[in-house]
Amino acid sequence: MTTAESPVENAYWVVVPAAGAGKRMGADKPKQYLPLNGKPLIAHTLGNILGWPGLKGIVVAIAADDTEFSTLDCAQDPRVQSVTGGVERADSVLAALEYLSERDVPEIPVLVHDAARPLVSTDDIQKLLAAGPMALLAQPASDTVKQSHSEDGREEVAQTLPRNRIWLAQTPQKAPLGKLREALQRGLKERPNAITDEASALELAGFHPELVAACRSNFKITHPADLILAEALLQHRAVTSSLENNL
Ligand code: C5P
């Protein structure tokens, strides 16, 4: 089948970088394994992704010394594979893309999604899938945005930026497998410090990914207070219908 409605044509892979240490949480284990309502954070994220429409499979990048991933129930799902990640997030994503390049065509869409964002809504995923071939979920700035400079060791306001054009990049970030792989390979070689997400590599390659506004639940669990907020939102979702999971 080759029509626009074809499930094959609309299919995509998801790459989940989960090889980081998550030091900002100050915990004794990587943040993806911290308990959230009794289950490891990454199990919530993968369980969420496994319900996305059109999913072909998930490739999770895990640390070389990870002994926990293979014990998770969700890791036994035949649609979930793992690869060894790298030193930086971009290296981990690239390892997963290399794995996929041996198994699928360069045109297949790939969505890269942080293990630490368990609460992205299915509505937002639908919007991202319907957007252009290169697109990312992002949060329009709601606070007034200041740019700073350093003065005698203190940060001072240098200027106020017009916030109607400021977005905070989130994940998933979507691009065709071949173009994303090339952009990351080139970006990591030429300007490794500038590659902080997939879109930044695509921008360096001359592309302009589309920004898709996400609902506020798609925050990245980074600090201890984020875990408490995520637990409350998960409990709220458990008692409301799936149609209302757009908080
Ligand atoms: O540290 P931060 O929250 O920015 O990491 C974002 C995601 O990238 C996390 O899911 C983390 O596990 C992953 N990561 C990775 N490989 C690294 C560093 C981070 O897969 N070397």
Side-chain angles (χ1 to χ4, degrees):
M1 291 208 295
T2 53
T3 63
E5 291 76 40
S6 154
V8 172
E9 196 163 299
N10 291 330
Y12 57 90
W13 291 96
V14 175
V15 162
V16 176
K23 294 201 178 85
R24 282 172 289 183
M25 290 298 289
D28 56 359
K29 54 163 76 180
K31 72 175 165 186
Q32 54 269 26
Y33 295 117
L34 292 177
L36 193 61
N37 284 355
K39 250 184 4 185
L41 165 53
I42 192 170
H44 287 279
T45 307
L46 296 181
N48 184 355
I49 297 170
L50 285 167
W52 295 354
L55 175 78
K56 270 191 119 173
I58 309 174
V59 183
V60 186
I62 56 175
D65 60 355
D66 186 311
T67 53
E68 215 163 328
F69 183 74
S70 61
T71 68
L72 301 177
D73 285 349
C74 56
Q76 317 313 318
D77 189 297
R79 292 169 293 170
V80 178
Q81 308 297 324
S82 66
V83 296
T84 302
V87 180
E88 301 294 339
R89 182 183 181 284
D91 301 304
S92 298
V93 172
L94 192 53
L97 298 179
E98 303 289 5
Y99 173 90
L100 284 176
S101 297
E102 287 166 19
R103 290 161 178 82
D104 214 326
V105 294
E107 296 76 27
I108 189 85
V110 175
L111 275 60
V112 180
H113 188 54
D114 289 331
R117 294 185 195 269
L119 283 153
V120 63
S121 79
T122 309
D123 280 0
D124 284 349
I125 296 305
Q126 301 274 25
K127 282 194 260 168
L128 183 68
L129 292 172
M134 291 182 187
L136 63 146
L137 291 188
Q139 192 75 59
S142 54
D143 296 318
T144 298
V145 181
K146 308 288 184 191
Q147 188 171 53
S148 70
H149 62 209
S150 180
E151 189 67 40
D152 298 332
R154 290 176 304 126
E155 289 298 306
E156 284 188 349
V157 173
Q159 63 169 325
T160 299
L161 301 175
R163 77 172 170 206
N164 59 342
R165 284 273 141 79
I166 302 281
W167 297 70
L168 305 181
Q170 301 183 331
T171 70
Q173 301 200 358
K174 178 180 80 166
L177 170 61
K179 289 205 166 76
L180 181 56
R181 179 174 168 235
E182 274 168 35
L184 276 173
Q185 281 170 336
R186 192 173 140 196
L188 281 172
K189 209 155 130 200
E190 292 174 7
R191 294 191 50 201
N193 295 337
I195 310 299
T196 48
D197 66 352
E198 292 62 54
S200 52
L202 294 166
E203 291 153 42
L204 277 176
F207 298 108
H208 296 279
E210 181 176 344
L211 290 155
V212 177
C215 65
R216 295 187 74 87
S217 65
N218 192 27
F219 57 89
K220 183 169 67 173
I221 293 182
T222 309
H223 300 287
D226 299 332
L227 274 176
I228 300 167
L229 196 53
E231 289 202 324
L233 282 167
L234 281 166
Q235 278 162 18
H236 175 83
R237 281 189 185 175
V239 295
T240 55
S241 81
S242 58
L243 287 174
E244 293 176 72
N245 81 348
N246 56 355
L247 275 180

